[in-house]
Amino acid sequence: MPRRIPLSPQAQAVLAAMPSRRSVLRGVLAGGALAATGGALAACGTTGTGSNGPSAKACSVPDVSAAERTVIFSNWPAYIDEDEKNAEVHPTLKAFTAKTGIDVKYTADINDNNEFYGKIRTQLAACQTIDRDIVVFTDWMAAKFIRNGFAQKFNPDKVATFLKNLAPTLKGRQFDPNMEYAAPWQSGLTGIAVNTGVTKEVHTVDELLTRPDLKGKVTALTEMRDTMGFMLLSMGKDPAKFTAAEFDAALEKLKAAVASGQIRKFTGNDYVQDLAKGDIAACIAWSGDVIQLGFDNAKIKLMTPDEGLMLWSDNMLIPTTASHASNAQALIDYYYDPKVAAELAAYVNYVCPVAGAQEAMQAIDPDLAANPLIFPNAEMQSKLHLFMPLTEAEEKEYEGKFQSAIGA
């Protein structure tokens, strides 16, 4: 499979107008449940024990996978391989159906973690079907989904390939320490992107925040975990384990950079256009975006600052009301075959979460196999940082302070 072809200007304009898959979740404080309608009532048991927010009842949903050879899969836009002649055809899914006889109803209808969660949580809390067997959420929302009792446990016998091949760096995550609920679909890195056509390389977060030649030419992300992760790192603090006082101190550092005029603005994916044109010189950015820009302009680079990189994942989860859980697990397990994972990674260019896929990539594209932004080497792995899982209360507090600081 060839590497992903860079988008045309017209297609980029269309995507730029769409909600970003990694955009900030401005509605997080509102906790805005958008009451979903419809859906058949599933069989329900006793009330669950979710610690915060709406918790699911202990649903008992018959698994009809054997009789209904189908699985319904909701994912983010532009996040799977596409046939060159027909974007509606996904070669890896087509191969799965040929191998298993399970038909996949695939929909790219997740544009925002909080928005999609708001659409389905009322039904899940009432043990009603959401007509989906797999949904994909970013780490922090996956943690919330599990915490509120909305995710089914995997059957270890049905996800043996996942358990065997999940990359070691993603095992034992705090929100799913035993790998029972969440299988990473793809991961990504957050670093500093630089257009070396208009400035020299940037090697530290402090350079980004204070270097005179960058004044007014810097953007940061509206995603709290990415931007504040770097603020904490720049102060020698661990984003995976910090105190409220440390967060506040890091936020003051960010505010100072805004007040000085160093940071021009906060953005979602729309930094891509400004960086490509040279309107901004450097920014906090996501790896998949920068790899794509680099295909067209070798002067655009993702720097690994001395402080390291932030690592995040988007995860496949099976809702409690899914009626094709076995089929869903078969699909999850399929994508942990290194050859399949390599085919997918060759197209989407995000960090592949599957051990053995790098070797399989050699037969597809040796250059991509050697790219540490897709397959982090040992040196890069030592520089990766995760953001600490937050409770519902912590999330409201930190998001509120951050949104206020960036003027959202």
Side-chain angles (χ1 to χ4, degrees), residues 73 76 88 98 119 134 142 144 188 206 224 232 237 266 281 295 315 323 388 408:
F73 183 4
W76 299 74
E88 298 300 315
K119 288 180 179 178
I134 298 176
K144 184 174 181 178
D206 281 345
M224 184 271 285
L232 288 159
K237 306 303 179 184
F266 293 84
F295 288 157
N315 304 270
S323 56
M388 180 173 74

Side-chain angles (χ1 to χ4, degrees), residues 39-60:
L41 185 64
C44 299
T46 57
T47 302
T49 58
S51 58
N52 293 299
S55 59
K57 296 179 180 179
C59 301
S60 176

Side-chain angles (χ1 to χ4, degrees), residues 381-400:
Q381 287 181 18
S382 70
K383 297 179 179 179
L384 303 183
H385 300 276
L386 297 171
F387 199 87
M388 180 173 74
L390 303 177
T391 65
E392 198 90 3
E394 289 172 334
E395 188 163 303
K396 287 183 178 178
E397 177 187 355
Y398 294 148
E399 282 283 2

Side-chain angles (χ1 to χ4, degrees), residues 104-117:
V104 183
K105 296 179 181 177
Y106 183 84
T107 308
D109 60 349
I110 305 177
N111 282 315
D112 179 298
N113 279 294
N114 207 53
E115 174 190 84
F116 192 76
Y117 176 76

Side-chain angles (χ1 to χ4, degrees), residues 18 27 55 59 66 89 92 99 110 138 148 163 208 212 248 277 297 301 307 316 327 332 334 336 389 402-403:
M18 295 174 62
S55 59
C59 301
V89 174
T92 54
K99 178 180 180 181
I110 305 177
T138 307
N148 285 341
L163 296 175
L208 188 73
D248 290 345
K277 290 186 293 186
N297 183 353
K301 302 177 180 179
E307 295 89 345
M316 294 180 280
N327 292 345
I332 290 169
Y334 165 76
Y336 275 78
F402 178 71
Q403 296 297 323

Side-chain angles (χ1 to χ4, degrees), residues 37-43 123 126-131 321:
T37 58
L41 185 64
Q123 288 167 288
C127 263
Q128 295 175 341
T129 180
I130 58 169
D131 294 324
T321 58

Side-chain angles (χ1 to χ4, degrees), residues 243-266:
T243 66
E246 290 169 348
F247 180 90
D248 290 345
L251 192 64
E252 290 303 315
K253 185 171 185 176
L254 180 67
K255 289 179 179 177
V258 173
S260 71
Q262 186 79 6
I263 295 179
R264 178 192 296 186
K265 63 180 179 179
F266 293 84

